[in-house]
Amino acid sequence: MPIATVETIWRNGALIPWADAQVHVLSHALHYGTSVFEGIRVYETPAGPRSFRLRDHIRRLIDSARIYDLVIPFDEDALVAGCDAVVAANGLRSAYIRPIAMVGYGEIGVAPLKPEPVETFIAAFPWGAYLGETAREQGVDVCVSSWNRLAPNTAPTGAKAAGNYLTSFLISREAKKRGYAEGIGLDIHGRLSEGAGENLFLFKDGRLMTPPAASSILQGITRDAVIELARREGIEVVEQSLPREALYLCDEAFLTGTAAEITPIRSVDDKPTRAAGPGEITRLLQDRFFGLFEGGTEDEWGWLQPVSGLADATV
């Protein structure tokens, strides 16, 4: 999906014109993937624009940088304020926010002892349904990829780092070339891991199951929200290692992520799930999740944050 150009972007603490957000071709991150990033949605709610779990995302950004010994020269409050500022400056009532901290131009060696400067950008722009406008209602067709997710102790999958997404590129590219909406990656033991940019849930025999952190997943913030919402509804949620065939035998399956939100899986490797799309549990969780932004679900957790600089809706 092309990026919709807006007027301004936040760079190192200041708003600059979108076209001026450039880096040197010898920036370290371009050569070695040394950047960490986040994806955050802002929703137009009945009360006005609200960011979803903004501080949780910013904390994960800082934690991802910590794993790689990258020093972001802004604290949590400054980054949160930067996200609000760029959304407000562009007059966006709903948006996708992309903060990124990257090792810039300085040294060309693989591992400089002091990886500086770390440049920080925050972009915000409109972005619709990641896996297609009909995906939420009809579900998507996916396949199991021939590419595995990262092995333990090769690269930390708990960090949302740019280099990790080369495997995501291979998984998703292979799936799309074969005519599927997305690919599912297995871990090195042949167990289910996650999609190219989404976490995975299966529902069978009254239990909602999802692969654990040990299966080389990024522990998604939307994944965590879905687990909370499911438990609130009295649904048993189990984080467990799952074999590939669980995809073919489940009653329902869906993908979660900031971009994907909650996207039902219609079929896997041309085998329809028993629900052949969004089943009862998937629809319930979609209703509760999107209800946070549409007014039907009470925000018991404080996940929604007003966007500073944008007026709330008038009552």
Side-chain angles (χ1 to χ4, degrees):
M1 182 181 294
I3 296 174
T5 304
V6 292
E7 294 298 320
T8 60
I9 195 167
W10 188 97
R11 176 181 180 177
N12 296 332
L15 291 169
I16 63 171
W18 180 275
D20 292 346
Q22 301 177 16
V23 297
H24 197 282
V25 70
L26 290 180
S27 294
H28 197 273
L30 289 178
H31 296 259
Y32 304 112
T34 45
S35 67
V36 295
F37 67 96
E38 281 295 325
I40 306 147
R41 280 200 188 262
V42 173
Y43 291 89
E44 175 71 283
T45 77
R50 296 290 186 269
S51 57
F52 181 59
R53 301 189 68 169
L54 174 59
R55 284 194 177 270
D56 290 331
H57 280 283
I58 294 302
R59 286 168 188 151
R60 188 173 65 181
L61 178 77
I62 293 168
D63 285 347
S64 295
R66 179 183 176 87
I67 290 170
Y68 281 96
D69 286 330
L70 305 184
V71 179
I72 299 176
F74 300 95
D75 64 15
E76 180 184 318
D77 287 341
L79 293 169
V80 166
C83 290
D84 281 354
V86 74
V87 172
N90 289 294
L92 299 170
R93 307 291 292 183
S94 63
Y96 182 86
I97 308 173
R98 171 54 60 87
I100 182 168
M102 53 168 287
V103 182
Y105 176 70
E107 293 191 38
I108 198 61
V110 171
L113 289 177
K114 192 176 183 183
E116 293 179 352
V118 173
E119 296 211 61
T120 312
F121 295 81
I122 305 173
F125 46 88
W127 202 11
Y130 177 60
L131 294 174
E133 295 301 325
T134 64
R136 177 174 167 181
E137 291 299 322
Q138 298 178 13
V140 293
D141 302 311
V142 305
C143 66
V144 175
S145 178
S146 66
W147 294 97
N148 285 60
R149 298 300 291 172
L150 294 166
N153 214 34
T154 56
T157 57
K160 194 172 176 71
N164 290 2
Y165 281 78
L166 283 173
T167 57
S168 297
F169 177 87
L170 292 169
I171 288 168
S172 195
R173 181 95 168 190
E174 177 186 59
K176 289 176 171 63
K177 288 172 75 173
R178 292 171 56 192
Y180 298 97
E182 190 58 290
I184 302 294
L186 306 179
D187 67 18
I188 60 164
H189 304 295
R191 309 300 176 107
L192 296 180
S193 181
E194 60 183 358
E198 312 88 6
N199 291 123
L200 176 66
F201 284 86
L202 309 180
F203 183 76
K204 183 174 173 59
D205 297 334
R207 296 195 307 164
L208 188 62
M209 299 172 287
T210 188
S215 289
S216 297
I217 70 165
L218 177 71
Q219 295 184 71
I221 290 168
T222 305
R223 172 184 181 270
D224 178 73
V226 167
I227 290 171
E228 289 289 335
L229 290 168
R231 287 176 174 158
R232 180 178 181 262
E233 296 298 320
I235 299 167
E236 181 185 359
V237 183
V238 180
E239 298 181 65
Q240 67 177 74
S241 182
L242 293 163
R244 175 176 178 166
E245 61 267 26
L247 287 168
Y248 309 139
L249 302 175
C250 64
D251 299 323
E252 305 177 38
F254 58 87
L255 299 165
T256 65
T258 296
E261 299 168 306
I262 299 179
T263 299
I265 293 174
R266 185 168 51 202
S267 71
V268 183
D269 293 337
D270 302 319
K271 297 177 176 66
T273 64
R274 288 194 166 93
E280 179 182 353
I281 297 301
T282 305
R283 287 194 184 278
L284 173 65
L285 293 172
Q286 284 181 318
D287 178 74
R288 300 300 186 262
F289 178 76
F290 290 107
L292 287 164
F293 322 119
E294 296 164 358
T297 302
E298 182 182 354
D299 179 18
E300 301 174 5
W301 306 271
W303 288 340
L304 302 181
Q305 178 178 313
V307 178
S308 177
L310 286 179
D312 281 352
T314 56
V315 179

